Amino acid sequence: MPRISTLLGLAISGCLSLSSPTLFAQPAPIGASPQAQQDGASSAARRDFTQFVQFQVQNHAGSAPQGFPLDVADVQDLKDARIAYGFPVYTVDPADLLAGRRELKAMAKPTGIWRFVVTLNEQPIGLATVEQVNGKWETVAYGATVLAKDLDAAMTAYGNADRSNVRVLRIYQAQSDFLEVSSAQNGAARFAPLHSARQSLLLQRKAAGDGLLDASELLEPLRAAVKKNLESAR
């Protein structure tokens, strides 16, 4: 069984928002096949969300308490919310990024973390973060409402029918998230900077064309941010 008591306790205190990336998170070991990971993470997300909703509806009436991790006006609205789609999170080792000997797309590695968009009336209201804890998939956080809305809009704009052409890339040491979009013609990757990247790196999507940035436009700002954050943590 998931650590639902811990999860619900955090939810009550409003500590389940992950709107800011962890600065020094490291990739988790991956043991199962991609499909097995997706199935396990998805099942856990739906199971835990059902329990989360039941608890919140039973224990809160009226307006959502201050600091509530999901964007709902009334806790009772959660009865109509659902787990929509999920995606694995990728990252880049800071040493690889600073060395810059490969393409950004080739440097990306899976973290072992999955995130799922939570929707209400087909609109994103937050993310559920799912990880393996002692070998079992569990939801460890709810929140990130700004990222959820921004990411869902980018997925809609750039993703194909099964979202197989996009990946979510989180550079922890730069506190920046991107949607990597692979070309259907040649597989080349371009990037949509999400809210955190636009804030941390002062990046904006291109005004003309499809709005995506080339990796060459990201590498220097990313390296500068990573180097600064690594030095400040010493």
Side-chain angles (χ1 to χ4, degrees), residues 4 31 50 56-57 63 76 79-80 83 94-95 98 101 112 115 133 140 155 166 171 178 187 195 225 229:
I4 196 66
T50 296
Q56 297 301 328
V57 167
S63 300
Q76 299 299 312
K79 290 184 289 186
D80 298 318
I83 296 290
L98 293 176
R101 289 187 289 267
R115 305 192 86 176
V133 179
V140 298
M155 288 279 195
V166 294
I171 311 297
F178 301 88
H195 177 76
N229 287 331

Side-chain angles (χ1 to χ4, degrees), residues 187-198:
R190 303 177 72 210
F191 300 86
L194 300 176
H195 177 76
S196 56
R198 299 197 300 271

Side-chain angles (χ1 to χ4, degrees), residues 136-155:
K136 296 181 180 180
W137 289 102
E138 296 184 5
T139 303
V140 298
Y142 293 109
T145 58
V146 173
L147 176 59
K149 296 173 190 294
D150 195 24
L151 177 61
D152 186 66
M155 288 279 195

Side-chain angles (χ1 to χ4, degrees), residues 137-181:
W137 289 102
E138 296 184 5
T139 303
V140 298
Y142 293 109
T145 58
V146 173
L147 176 59
K149 296 173 190 294
D150 195 24
L151 177 61
D152 186 66
M155 288 279 195
T156 300
Y158 301 113
N160 58 21
D162 60 0
R163 304 182 186 88
S164 60
N165 67 321
V166 294
R167 297 193 300 185
V168 175
L169 182 62
R170 166 165 285 196
I171 311 297
Y172 291 96
Q173 293 80 8
Q175 298 180 306
S176 299
D177 299 287
F178 301 88
L179 186 68
E180 177 194 281
V181 184

Side-chain angles (χ1 to χ4, degrees), residues 86-159:
F87 49 88
V89 178
Y90 289 77
T91 193
V92 173
D93 186 283
D96 290 341
L97 185 63
L98 293 176
R101 289 187 289 267
R102 292 184 293 166
E103 293 285 340
L104 187 58
K105 179 178 180 178
M107 288 190 281
K109 302 174 183 177
T111 63
I113 298 169
W114 280 73
R115 305 192 86 176
F116 291 83
V117 176
V118 184
T119 61
L120 175 63
N121 300 323
E122 299 186 355
Q123 299 300 312
I125 60 172
L127 296 175
T129 301
V130 180
E131 301 179 11
Q132 281 196 1
V133 179
N134 296 324
K136 296 181 180 180
W137 289 102
E138 296 184 5
T139 303
V140 298
Y142 293 109
T145 58
V146 173
L147 176 59
K149 296 173 190 294
D150 195 24
L151 177 61
D152 186 66
M155 288 279 195
T156 300
Y158 301 113

